[in-house]
Amino acid sequence: MGASKIIFGGVSAVTGVALGVVTPERTEPSPRREPVNHIADRWFPVAEDGRTLRMPLFATGDLLAPHPAVTRLVIMINGTLRNADVYFESTAAAAASAGAGADRTLIAAPQFLATPDAEKFALGADTPYWTPENWKIGDRAVHPERGPSSFAVIDAMVTAALDRDRFPCLRAVVVAGHSAGGQFVHRYIAFNRVHAAFRRAGIAVRYVVSNPSSYLYFDARRLDGARGLAPYPGEQCADFNRYRYGLEEPNEYGAAALAAFGGGGAANTMAREYGRREVAYLLGEADADPNSDSLDRSCGAMAQGATRLDRGQRYFRYVQALLGPAVLATHALHIVPDVGHDHRAMFMSSSGLALLFGDGRASRGLVPEGGDGRAGSQ
């Protein structure tokens, strides 16, 4: 289960932090718990329309405090159960397996609460929450009125890491998510406009998209067998190119991003910028059940393929067809053998550990952080 194979590989754009990855021989399945057992004991301030809201957060440290030795920030987005505590614990376990020292690595898992949680817990008036679906795609919170986009929460978190007074040694940021969190991260890659600031600061950013149910397409074409890209017959599926599956009728955050990319060619410009960002598609070889109870089987999703594995492989081919082979310099597809829809097993695999805490070269020897340049263990 732990070993991984890279079906298509790209050259890692993240330099700096590289760890020796120790692949566990066996990974216990992720625990299944009721969504949102408790509210996080930390919070992060998010400013919106002159208000400061308290975003619940599981983290190994205060993002607003000085971290003179931290070289890597890992932000983990949970799945549809909103069980950020479980994802936080799994990510911390992966960090320990990778040998990522707590003094050098800061892990944060924001807790996107939803309307059922507001009914279950006595949330403060300044605690934002969303519907169970709209947090996944960057919509505004439903509380307070015109609350922040869920993507704006990540903007605020990563922007805090740009403060060199707090993070003088930061070299790499990883934004990762599995299942619904993978959907979240994938759309955030395309839409966010804070990435350029990290590029200017010389801080590498990697996005890890693990087993999402669907992807964001940049035009109305889809793969047509060996013939490459062809217009999708829209009469078969009216919403195949609407947001969340395409760029038609985007939400407010997405519309602002398209406007920033400018004019009628905004989608093409956005796609090219997406291709410049380092993206790892992390798929479970056994996440291939067309009847999975959590699989999106809407028309727009089914137009992308029958299973999560199928959709991920198709999307990777689409990106290459759209942007050309040069995209392999920044995008890579990793398939984890014998693993299904299990975030813990995915991130504890050799690919998962390398992508979260190493330099992403899961199939090659890695240099331990602070080491002497010799290859580390796999």
Side-chain angles (χ1 to χ4, degrees):
M1 177 183 296
S4 303
K5 58 186 177 184
I6 302 179
I7 302 301
F8 300 98
V11 178
S12 172
V14 170
T15 57
V17 182
L19 300 175
V21 173
V22 179
T23 302
E25 292 185 2
R26 193 174 192 280
T27 301
E28 293 300 321
S30 303
R32 297 287 293 182
R33 301 182 189 173
E34 291 299 314
V36 191
N37 290 302
H38 60 276
I39 306 301
D41 57 357
R42 294 181 184 271
W43 62 276
F44 184 81
V46 177
E48 183 68 26
D49 290 340
R51 302 165 295 184
T52 299
L53 304 177
R54 294 164 59 97
M55 182 69 193
L57 180 74
F58 295 96
T60 55
D62 182 354
L63 267 69
L64 297 182
H67 295 280
V70 165
T71 57
R72 173 166 300 220
L73 169 63
V74 176
I75 297 175
M76 178 60 69
I77 310 298
N78 56 258
T80 196
L81 292 180
R82 308 183 306 284
N83 49 349
D85 55 337
V86 177
Y87 274 70
F88 175 68
E89 293 165 4
S90 296
T91 308
S97 184
D103 59 330
R104 302 186 306 272
T105 304
L106 196 156
I107 299 169
Q111 187 175 36
F112 291 101
L113 299 171
T115 44
D117 310 316
E119 296 167 1
K120 181 177 179 180
F121 299 96
L123 300 181
D126 56 356
T127 300
Y129 58 83
W130 290 258
T131 72
E133 285 298 315
N134 77 345
W135 71 267
K136 303 174 185 178
I137 58 173
D139 284 356
R140 282 185 175 272
V142 295
H143 173 87
E145 186 177 354
R146 286 195 57 77
S149 159
S150 54
F151 291 163
V153 171
I154 307 304
D155 285 348
M157 291 174 63
V158 297
T159 298
L162 278 167
D163 187 335
R164 283 305 196 185
D165 290 334
R166 296 190 188 110
F167 292 91
C169 296
L170 189 70
R171 297 199 301 250
V173 173
V174 177
V175 182
H178 176 264
S179 192
Q183 293 186 55
F184 179 106
V185 172
H186 185 248
R187 288 153 181 83
Y188 181 71
I189 301 166
F191 286 163
N192 87 76
R193 286 169 284 155
V194 298
H195 187 102
F198 284 90
R199 188 178 289 147
R200 291 191 297 269
I203 299 172
V205 182
R206 176 185 299 137
Y207 303 95
V208 182
V209 179
S210 177
N211 288 338
S213 257
S214 65
Y215 295 82
L216 178 69
Y217 279 74
F218 294 99
D219 65 12
R221 295 177 297 169
R222 300 294 183 266
L223 288 172
D224 185 20
R227 291 183 291 177
L229 296 180
Y232 185 81
E235 65 275 7
Q236 294 184 10
C237 180
D239 67 347
F240 85 99
N241 208 37
R242 291 178 190 156
Y243 189 68
R244 70 181 68 184
Y245 309 112
L247 290 176
E248 294 177 2
E249 302 176 24
N251 60 16
E252 189 173 335
Y253 189 101
L258 282 165
F261 282 112
N268 291 333
T269 304
M270 179 180 284
R272 288 194 297 272
E273 173 59 24
Y274 173 81
R276 293 180 64 196
R277 299 177 179 184
E278 186 182 358
V279 182
Y281 308 91
L282 185 64
L283 305 178
E285 184 180 47
D287 200 352
D289 180 5
N291 299 309
S292 168
D293 59 2
S294 57
L295 180 69
D296 184 348
R297 285 190 287 273
S298 68
C299 182
M302 294 305 293
Q304 298 185 10
T307 67
R308 292 187 186 89
L309 178 62
D310 182 29
R311 292 171 192 179
Q313 291 174 313
R314 284 176 183 237
Y315 190 80
F316 191 64
R317 294 197 300 272
Y318 164 80
V319 168
Q320 293 175 75
L322 182 69
L323 300 174
V327 76
L328 294 179
T330 49
H331 287 224
L333 172 63
H334 302 253
I335 294 184
V336 182
D338 305 320
V339 171
H341 201 63
D342 187 318
H343 80 273
R344 187 180 180 92
M346 294 297 293
F347 292 129
M348 289 287 276
S349 70
S350 59
S351 280
L353 294 175
L355 291 168
L356 293 181
F357 303 107
D359 70 353
R361 298 176 299 166
S363 64
R364 290 173 282 177
L366 303 178
V367 180
E369 184 173 4
D372 60 3
R374 292 174 295 183
S377 59
Q378 286 276 62

